[in-house]
Amino acid sequence: MREKATTLYIGPQHPGITGNMMVRVKVEGDTIVKATTEVGYLHRAFEKLIEQRNWLQSFTLLCRFCVPEPDPVEESYARAVEELEGREVPERAKYIRVMVLELARIASYMLWYGGQAGSLGLYTVGQWSVGDRNYILDLFEELTGGRVYHMYIWPGGVRRDMPEGFEEKVLKTMDYLEKRLDDYDDLMFENSIFKKRTKGIGIIDKAKAIEWGVVGPPLRGCGIKHDVRIDDPYEVYDKLDFVVPTHEGGDIWSRAQVRRQEIRQSIRIVRQVIDKIPGGDFYNKIPNPQKWALPKGDAYARTEAVRGEVGMYVSSDGGTHPRRAHFRGAAYVHAITLLEDLLVGENLADISAIMNSLGTCPPEIER
Amino acid sequence: MSFFDLKGTLKPLTALKQFGKQPHTLKETPFVPREAADRYRGFHYNDLEECIGCGNCSTICQNQAIDMVPVEGIEGKKGDSGLRPRIDHGRCCWCGLCVEVCPTGSLSLTKDYVYVSDDADSFLWMPGVDNPEGKERKSFVSTEATSLNDFARIPMPELEGMERVKSFAEVVLGYNEEQARAEASRCISCGLCTEACPEHMHIPEYINAIARANDADAVRIIYDNNPLPEMCGKVCTRRCEEVCAIAHRGEPIAIRWLKRYATETVNNADLIKEIVNPEINAPNGFKVGIVGAGPSGLTAAYYLALRGFDCTIYEAHAKAGGMTMYGIPKYRFPEESLDKQIEYIQKIGVKIHFNTRVGKDISFKEIYEKYDAVFVGVGFPKPWTLGVEGEDLQGSIQAVNFLYEINNGKQVDIGDKVIVIGGGNVAIDAARVSRRLGADVTILYRRRVQDMPADWEEIEGAEEEGVHIVPQAIPIQFHGDDKGHVKAVEYLLAEMVPDERGRRPKPVAIEGSNKTIEATAVLGAIGQQGDYSFLEEEFAEKIRIERGRFVVNEFQQTTDPKIFAGGDAANRTADAISAIADGYRAVKGIEAMLVKEK
Ligand SMILES: Cc1cc2nc3c(=O)[nH]c(=O)nc-3n(C[C@H](O)[C@H](O)[C@H](O)COP(=O)(O)OP(=O)(O)OC[C@H]3O[C@@H](n4cnc5c(N)ncnc54)[C@H](O)[C@@H]3O)c2cc1C
Ligand code: SF4
Ligand code: SF4
């Protein structure tokens, strides 16, 4: 017997929703027949605000795009501005930036552990990973002066040099986390519930992924090797040795495997940074920010975030404020086009797991 | 996958090994407070003594979290607005940009993690005032390495020392466009300089226009309250630079050179008129007579003329400018530079009767009766003499007279060994001019070099040109040869004796330390005084003069309401910009008296 269709509103406030957005689903029984996303609850007019700030001031706002991983946005903005102005960045600063980006990647994946597992009812994982993430936040606090929002990468380099003894602390933390990864494997990836609820669920079609511009772990989870760090290396990624993990399958499980392996790669990168980082300046100082005008023109810089490729476009009319700024985030595709498509035919209970696996981030949509 | 996944069921159980382990963040907290990292960006602290209330923190804050408010016990003074930042911690995002742009480094962030209160208003507080204990908890601080202020000045291109003495060519070459933009870009627009400028010129505004490559705007802004800006751009004593916010940890913005740059982009009187395009009011029927075409008289005339007054200046000399024409040497302030400014002032309707000495060619009484108001800007033309034996020998000349002759294109025979007596700008000018006439020059000064009232840049310039300075030297006699010409100066060495009343130490001659130095000319430069012999008795009685200066109110009005006075004859600061300020104030006074009264 065919059941009567019902419409359910999930979000904007819902523990299974990442960030504030709503998914309106039409279900027959517990099978989704239509999904519509509704965004707008988090709109903070980022891009308009950037126009109202001088070239420096915006970096304090940009990190607010993404709580778990604020640094790639800071980095891509800084690099776009540097490109527009032709400002050199000291080598040491580039290494420090890469370290920060990779630490942020690990910290962010730690939160994803909690979210992904939590969406399946495996709550212990989150309790561990939030605790382990704190070790990285401690490092951030020492390096940048902030735990969550670092506001550290700015045009010209980074704000402060590494404090004394910082390298050792980083290495110690990496050793600790590397060991912990085995525990997470046991608790999460080997867990039969996790396997059952992720394999074959939320399958992304490879062809559609390419056509729609899917990026990051969702794309690599379709077996497609795409990563800005390798394809279009920035900072000093071309001087570092690491691989980009991919996984065939296109389901939640594949995306999880990609992330799982990526953490190990990030640890590898951080260690290389500590090993190779040269001395010298950490900052090529910008002039007095009030009067700092950028030449006419525009620039676009892209960075690999945990959600995939993000990019910052800035345009200058020669003044002290950006004429226009635009941020490209992965979520616009992942959390609207892709999600609406993926959910059809899936079980109501899997919405949260699917959203988590896509790295949905509403502020990237509402800019 | 089998129906029952044994491994997948057992593996998670290994989690039990974590049983009883506390996450490290909870190990101590909340029982033992956690100590923040050394550069943690917590709540603000402000060192109230260091802070100058420039408000740059408030300007940079993109969250409008900072406003500048008065604090009990802190008075505004030159270089300190008297205001201090108040932070709305409900708006703050702890970016610390306010710290990075603080020019003095007084503002910092502390190690404090949390502040809890159910009183929303209590989140608005003043760092340093409301949390004095923050001093011990500073973490995110401003250092010169991380500061976003530009502390280093763009160097001014100049003629090289020994090249200079070959001619009267201008020593300072001026910024080019790129240098001017870069220097202007250092300014943080705080406006502390405006307060310190006697004329309260719109400094941050015109500097900003220069930084934005809008020189014509800069010129317009400058002319708003200074009709002789190129003069000031070249020779101003720049009280503004003394208080510049950036000077606390770096070199002050080159305010004077930037004004010079802007005004030099306009190279003739017609162009000045075209660019300034001043609004000239229709004649209001009032006539003002002005005695003296020095900076004060010219300023009064210019702004009165703009306001519709009919202005006539009576000037004893053949050219206008007063001491800036006949005192200041041409290598500092070339004549063309002055001429174009005077020409512009005449172009907007100011009449100048040259070679007309009041008291001789026309009586003061006549002027008094002919005009609705009179402005007196006659300066301090009469030099003080030392009062030592031999001062009347030939070759003993007063420095201002010497400079007058040279600036007038005359020859003065000073021989090859010139002794200059004094430590002010006039002494330095006389010395540097003598160098240009080929003489060896020695300055004798009563106190130490650091006590010299002359501008340090001038002293340095003189030394670079080979002027020899003998400090702590008190002349006691000039010796002459048999033709009655000076041939040597005898002086005593002095020791500096601390003053009991805490004023600067006094030089006291050391008995028996006599020294003699050869001289072909001696130039006395120990100061000038007023000459008010042009005032008829009735005025001399009516107008109060104290310690050689006219007594005036805040509108430069003397004790005769119809007579206003300004410049060296009325102020104690005795420089061009003070004279200009006096002239400008008198305009307001005259307007208030005549127009508003009507
Ligand atoms: C050698 C020297 C160097 C100086 N260097 C600097 C410097 O670098 N920077 C700076 O800011 N200041 C400098 N000054 C000071 C500055 O020149 C004066 O403070 C300023 O010119 C004073 O302006 P004033 O309007 O009072 O009159 P003055 O400039 O003194 O002019 C007075 C005018 O009144 C005229 N006058 C006087 N009596 C009569 C009369 N009875 N009838 C008709 N006309 C009369 C005079 O001829 C003269 O033109 C210097 C002064 C000297 C002497
Ligand atoms: S820390 Fe940032 S947001 Fe807070 S008051 Fe200072 S400038 Fe404003
Ligand atoms: S010149 Fe100096 S004091 Fe004046 S506004 Fe600029 S920074 Fe402030």
Side-chain angles (χ1 to χ4, degrees):
Chain A
M1 184 192 79
R2 217 182 131 87
E3 294 190 49
K4 222 173 111 193
T6 331
T7 300
L8 297 173
Y9 297 82
I10 319 234
Q13 307 297 341
H14 188 281
I17 294 277
T18 53
N20 299 52
M21 65 179 276
M22 182 166 79
V23 189
R24 186 153 39 95
V25 288
K26 202 163 164 198
V27 287
E28 283 176 12
D30 56 6
T31 303
I32 300 163
V33 293
K34 185 173 171 26
T36 317
T37 51
E38 304 248 355
V39 294
Y41 301 97
L42 253 182
H43 204 290
R44 283 167 283 175
F46 283 115
E47 291 178 357
K48 203 73 203 160
L49 281 171
I50 293 172
E51 288 171 23
Q52 282 157 20
R53 296 171 177 216
N54 67 36
W55 286 105
L56 177 71
Q57 285 169 318
S58 285
F59 88 109
T60 63
L61 170 73
L62 294 165
C63 49
R64 266 105 187 151
F65 268 108
C66 176
V67 187
E69 197 203 21
D71 309 86
V73 195
E74 285 179 19
E75 197 271 345
S76 55
Y77 176 77
R79 202 147 38 80
V81 167
E82 286 153 6
E83 192 188 312
L84 186 53
E85 198 196 13
R87 178 170 294 276
E88 292 290 326
V89 179
E91 194 73 356
R92 182 175 178 79
K94 293 184 184 171
Y95 274 93
I96 297 178
R97 283 179 175 184
V98 167
M99 177 181 70
V100 167
L101 290 172
E102 295 305 318
L103 288 175
R105 185 182 308 276
I106 300 170
S108 175
Y109 281 152
M110 290 275 156
L111 273 191
W112 165 80
Y113 272 162
Q116 189 70 72
S119 70
L120 307 170
L122 306 173
Y123 294 123
T124 312
V125 177
Q127 274 152 21
W128 283 8
S129 69
V130 165
D132 283 338
R133 175 174 174 265
N134 264 320
Y135 286 102
I136 299 181
L137 301 195
D138 284 355
L139 292 178
F140 277 135
E141 181 179 334
E142 246 190 72
L143 178 67
T144 72
R147 292 181 70 79
V148 176
Y149 290 133
H150 311 134
M151 298 179 264
Y152 178 66
I153 296 175
W154 66 5
V158 293
R159 273 174 94 170
R160 296 286 187 276
D161 204 350
M162 289 199 268
E164 270 223 359
F166 189 69
E167 288 95 330
E168 291 82 80
K169 282 186 194 157
V170 173
L171 292 176
K172 234 176 96 189
T173 309
M174 292 302 104
D175 292 346
Y176 165 79
L177 288 176
E178 194 173 42
K179 274 209 294 300
R180 286 288 281 158
L181 293 182
D182 297 335
D183 294 337
Y184 287 106
D185 281 352
D186 288 346
L187 184 64
M188 183 167 162
F189 295 98
E190 297 283 356
N191 193 323
S192 64
I193 296 174
F194 187 78
K195 288 186 224 164
K196 277 212 167 112
R197 296 224 22 214
T198 58
K199 288 190 176 177
I201 311 286
I203 300 175
I204 303 173
D205 177 72
K206 212 174 192 163
K208 272 189 192 161
I210 294 173
E211 190 189 326
W212 288 350
V214 172
V215 289
L219 184 65
R220 296 194 286 272
C222 296
I224 297 167
K225 193 162 159 181
H226 174 274
D227 187 316
V228 190
R229 293 175 296 171
I230 293 274
D231 302 338
D232 183 11
Y234 48 95
E235 307 296 358
V236 288
Y237 278 111
D238 54 349
K239 301 192 174 113
L240 303 168
D241 186 24
F242 63 101
V243 295
V244 173
T246 56
H247 200 279
E248 290 294 338
D251 52 5
I252 301 180
W253 170 257
S254 309
R255 296 193 272 282
Q257 287 303 322
V258 167
R259 293 190 176 101
R260 174 177 160 262
Q261 293 169 49
E262 265 184 35
I263 297 185
R264 292 187 190 271
Q265 293 300 323
S266 291
I267 293 176
R268 205 172 142 194
I269 296 174
V270 170
R271 285 186 179 137
Q272 288 176 60
V273 166
I274 299 291
D275 185 41
K276 289 189 171 167
I277 187 167
D281 284 344
F282 59 94
Y283 181 34
N284 172 10
K285 195 167 116 58
I286 60 157
N288 172 16
Q290 262 185 49
K291 300 223 165 34
W292 182 35
L294 257 60
K296 247 193 199 130
D298 52 10
Y300 180 70
R302 51 198 192 129
T303 304
E304 188 70 27
V306 291
R307 293 151 343 263
E309 177 180 332
V310 300
M312 183 61 76
Y313 167 79
V314 291
S315 160
S316 172
D317 56 9
T320 51
H321 292 52
R323 183 193 67 80
R324 174 79 169 95
H326 173 67
F327 178 70
R328 192 267 181 211
Y332 203 97
V333 172
H334 294 185
I336 297 184
T337 332
L338 185 60
L339 184 66
E340 287 180 356
D341 182 68
L342 279 191
L343 288 180
V344 175
E346 296 291 354
N347 192 293
L348 181 61
D350 290 330
I351 293 181
S352 178
I354 292 173
M355 282 186 87
N356 268 290
S357 79
L358 297 177
T360 308
C361 170
E364 282 186 354
I365 306 165
E366 305 157 31
R367 302 168 311 259
Chain B
M1 206 193 301
S2 64
F3 177 71
F4 184 69
D5 177 5
L6 184 63
K7 196 172 146 214
T9 309
L10 293 180
K11 274 274 180 160
L13 294 179
T14 58
L16 286 172
K17 73 180 184 198
Q18 300 287 324
F19 188 75
K21 262 199 193 167
Q22 272 181 324
H24 87 290
T25 32
L26 277 185
K27 253 179 253 160
E28 289 152 355
T29 39
F31 310 109
V32 183
R34 188 191 146 95
E35 179 71 5
D38 282 340
R39 58 175 75 143
Y40 184 69
R41 295 193 304 266
F43 293 87
H44 298 71
Y45 171 75
N46 189 19
D47 185 331
L48 298 169
E49 296 299 314
E50 281 287 308
C51 178
I52 51 173
C54 70
N56 206 28
C57 48
S58 172
T59 308
I60 195 77
C61 181
Q62 62 280 353
N63 300 324
Q64 281 92 47
I66 306 184
D67 54 357
M68 301 296 294
V69 292
V71 188
E72 215 179 295
I74 297 179
E75 294 295 325
K77 53 175 191 272
K78 288 224 163 86
D80 181 351
S81 70
L83 306 176
R84 295 293 180 264
R86 178 177 62 182
I87 320 264
D88 182 345
H89 289 94
R91 304 187 71 116
C92 175
C93 74
W94 284 273
C95 64
L97 276 188
C98 45
V99 174
E100 313 279 41
V101 302
C102 174
T104 63
S106 69
L107 197 62
S108 55
L109 300 175
T110 64
K111 288 196 169 193
D112 297 310
Y113 275 125
V114 283
Y115 170 76
V116 184
S117 169
D118 55 11
D119 174 10
D121 290 340
S122 76
F123 285 80
L124 191 70
W125 46 263
M126 295 191 73
V129 178
D130 296 316
N131 65 338
E133 72 285 356
K135 196 182 182 72
E136 308 306 322
R137 308 202 25 86
K138 290 203 268 190
S139 53
F140 193 81
V141 294
S142 160
T143 65
E144 271 156 58
T146 55
S147 169
L148 289 181
N149 299 124
D150 296 327
F151 289 129
R153 181 184 273 203
I154 304 292
M156 172 53 81
E158 286 184 351
L159 285 185
E160 196 266 321
M162 286 306 149
E163 189 58 35
R164 295 181 209 155
V165 295
K166 293 183 190 154
S167 74
F168 279 79
E170 212 176 347
V171 170
V172 172
L173 300 176
Y175 284 141
N176 64 24
E177 190 179 330
E178 189 190 338
Q179 289 165 327
R181 307 264 181 265
E183 180 61 17
S185 295
R186 302 203 298 132
C187 168
I188 58 170
S189 305
C190 65
L192 287 176
C193 47
T194 300
E195 277 309 305
C197 170
E199 178 57 353
H200 307 306
M201 290 192 67
H202 315 299
I203 301 166
E205 290 80 4
Y206 71 72
I207 290 184
N208 197 39
I210 296 171
R212 301 294 304 123
N214 207 338
D215 298 333
D217 258 358
V219 171
R220 272 187 290 275
I221 296 169
I222 288 170
Y223 269 92
D224 182 60
N225 57 355
N226 186 339
L228 297 161
E230 193 161 323
M231 170 192 295
C232 293
K234 297 196 170 184
V235 303
C236 187
T237 46
R238 61 199 199 288
R239 286 154 214 282
C240 52
E241 291 183 22
E242 280 165 29
V243 303
C244 175
I246 299 298
H248 283 257
R249 287 194 290 174
E251 298 169 282
I253 310 300
I255 302 174
R256 175 179 54 169
W257 297 149
L258 288 171
K259 181 158 52 245
R260 172 196 172 110
Y261 165 79
T263 53
E264 281 202 318
T265 59
V266 192
N267 55 18
N268 65 61
D270 287 321
L271 205 54
I272 300 177
K273 188 154 184 238
E274 190 186 315
I275 286 184
V276 177
N277 188 19
E279 201 187 304
I280 306 172
N281 289 358
N284 60 15
F286 293 109
K287 289 190 299 186
V288 181
I290 293 166
V291 187
S296 62
L298 289 167
T299 304
Y302 176 79
Y303 291 106
L304 284 169
L306 290 189
R307 286 161 166 76
F309 290 85
D310 179 356
C311 295
T312 309
I313 305 182
Y314 295 87
E315 166 56 50
H317 291 307
K319 294 198 78 166
M323 281 301 187
T324 67
M325 164 64 208
Y326 292 110
I328 300 177
K330 302 306 171 203
Y331 62 85
R332 289 210 282 135
F333 185 35
E335 214 161 319
E336 317 81 77
S337 205
L338 177 63
D339 288 350
K340 79 180 190 202
Q341 297 176 81
I342 307 290
E343 203 188 317
Y344 165 61
I345 291 173
Q346 288 171 300
K347 267 187 197 302
I348 63 117
V350 172
K351 286 166 280 188
I352 310 180
H353 296 305
F354 293 104
N355 298 313
T356 310
R357 180 169 290 279
V358 178
K360 186 171 147 248
D361 304 313
I362 180 172
S363 75
F364 184 74
K365 193 176 161 76
E366 192 183 332
I367 293 177
Y368 185 84
E369 280 162 4
K370 189 166 167 195
Y371 295 98
D372 300 301
V374 181
F375 178 83
V376 180
V378 290
F380 262 15
K382 260 190 358 199
W384 288 106
T385 51
L386 275 170
V388 299
E389 202 182 313
E391 215 177 347
D392 46 5
L393 286 165
Q394 266 179 51
S396 162
I397 314 166
Q398 291 305 333
V400 278
N401 298 342
F402 165 70
L403 292 169
Y404 174 81
E405 296 297 333
I406 299 292
N407 281 329
N408 226 350
K410 303 264 167 57
Q411 305 272 326
V412 182
D413 184 14
I414 51 169
D416 59 0
K417 278 185 210 67
V418 171
I419 306 299
V420 177
I421 295 166
N425 281 323
V426 178
I428 301 280
D429 282 341
R432 296 178 72 180
V433 166
S434 303
R435 282 293 293 135
R436 282 163 174 74
L437 299 178
D440 278 340
V441 181
T442 304
I443 294 179
L444 300 183
Y445 178 53
R446 293 153 58 85
R447 299 168 195 260
R448 299 164 300 181
V449 174
Q450 67 261 42
D451 301 320
M452 290 178 102
D455 192 319
W456 61 267
E457 276 184 10
E458 285 296 306
I459 300 172
E460 267 182 22
E463 285 178 331
E464 283 160 17
E465 290 167 12
V467 171
H468 184 57
I469 299 176
V470 179
Q472 289 162 262
I474 303 180
I476 50 169
Q477 191 181 348
F478 298 177
H479 297 283
D481 59 16
D482 40 16
K483 286 186 215 112
H485 195 280
V486 70
K487 70 166 190 198
V489 175
E490 186 180 347
Y491 63 94
L492 287 173
L493 294 180
E495 61 183 342
M496 302 305 291
V497 178
D499 184 86
E500 310 93 71
R501 276 175 298 178
R503 289 187 299 205
R504 60 178 186 163
K506 271 205 294 245
V508 176
I510 305 169
E511 204 68 43
S513 64
N514 304 50
K515 295 217 180 288
T516 304
I517 184 165
E518 252 186 82
T520 51
V522 183
L523 305 178
I526 57 160
Q528 293 90 246
Q529 53 184 316
D531 174 3
Y532 310 124
S533 53
F534 64 90
L535 291 175
E536 289 89 347
E537 211 175 302
E538 57 177 295
F539 296 107
E541 267 167 21
K542 224 173 3 168
I543 305 173
R544 210 153 97 217
I545 293 173
E546 268 174 21
R547 288 191 213 156
R549 295 186 183 87
F550 290 95
V551 174
V552 292
N553 67 10
E554 79 259 42
F555 291 117
Q556 303 298 129
Q557 197 169 27
T558 66
T559 42
D560 178 333
K562 205 176 146 181
I563 303 175
F564 293 74
D568 289 0
N571 66 50
R572 297 177 55 83
T573 34
D575 55 10
I577 191 68
S578 304
I580 291 169
D582 287 354
Y584 192 73
R585 262 194 301 272
V587 170
K588 291 186 184 158
I590 292 169
E591 193 179 33
M593 179 179 79
L594 297 177
V595 183
K596 309 256 158 79
E597 232 176 39
K598 206 168 83 172

